[in-house]
């Protein structure tokens, strides 16, 4: 594998905006679930956002991450957003 996954985070009035560059694709993608979730948790841990529900804007659409902070980290972490089919295919066996 080459490259790295990188998330660029910008604070805004409603939460955060995240743009993602993904390894394997070697380009910017519309969104990355792991990346936006990690970005929301870090934004909270750093004190950039106070709420336990973070609104996230990505090129692929609006998402949200909710969580419960604990002494050891975070639990009950939920990534929420729209889902749509972007590809449909069939596998032919011989």
């Amino acid at each position: 594998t080459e490259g790295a996954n990188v998330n660029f985070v910008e604070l805004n009035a409603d939460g955060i905006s995240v743009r993602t560059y993904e390894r394997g694709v070697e380009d910017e993608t519309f969104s990355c679930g792991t990346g936006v979730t990690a970005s929301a948790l870090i934004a909270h841990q750093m004190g950039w956002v106070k709420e336990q529900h973070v609104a996230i804007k990505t090129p692929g659409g609006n998402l949200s991450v909710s969580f419960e902070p604990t002494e050891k980290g975070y639990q009950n972490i939920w990534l929420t957003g729209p889902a749509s089919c972007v590809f449909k295919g069939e596998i032919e066996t011989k």
Side-chain angles (χ1 to χ4, degrees):
T1 60
E2 294 183 21
N5 290 359
V6 180
N7 294 287
F8 299 92
V9 180
E10 179 182 8
L11 299 177
N12 58 47
D14 301 328
I16 61 176
S17 295
V18 179
R19 293 179 66 178
T20 302
Y21 183 92
E22 287 197 69
R23 168 184 76 212
V25 178
E26 303 306 332
D27 203 353
E28 184 177 3
T29 58
F30 290 136
S31 191
C32 171
T34 306
V36 297
T37 302
S39 296
L41 296 178
I42 291 296
H44 183 267
Q45 184 179 32
M46 297 297 292
W48 300 336
V49 296
K50 304 292 184 203
E51 301 81 18
Q52 295 177 22
H53 179 88
V54 181
I56 303 166
K57 294 181 182 178
T58 71
N62 296 329
L63 305 168
S64 65
V65 173
S66 58
F67 48 84
E68 294 175 13
T70 70
E71 291 180 7
K72 295 182 179 182
Y74 294 91
Q75 66 183 19
N76 297 320
I77 303 166
W78 290 90
L79 169 62
T80 306
S84 61
C85 182
V86 295
F87 179 81
K88 183 177 179 179
E90 294 182 21
I91 298 175
E92 185 177 312
T93 60
K94 294 184 179 189

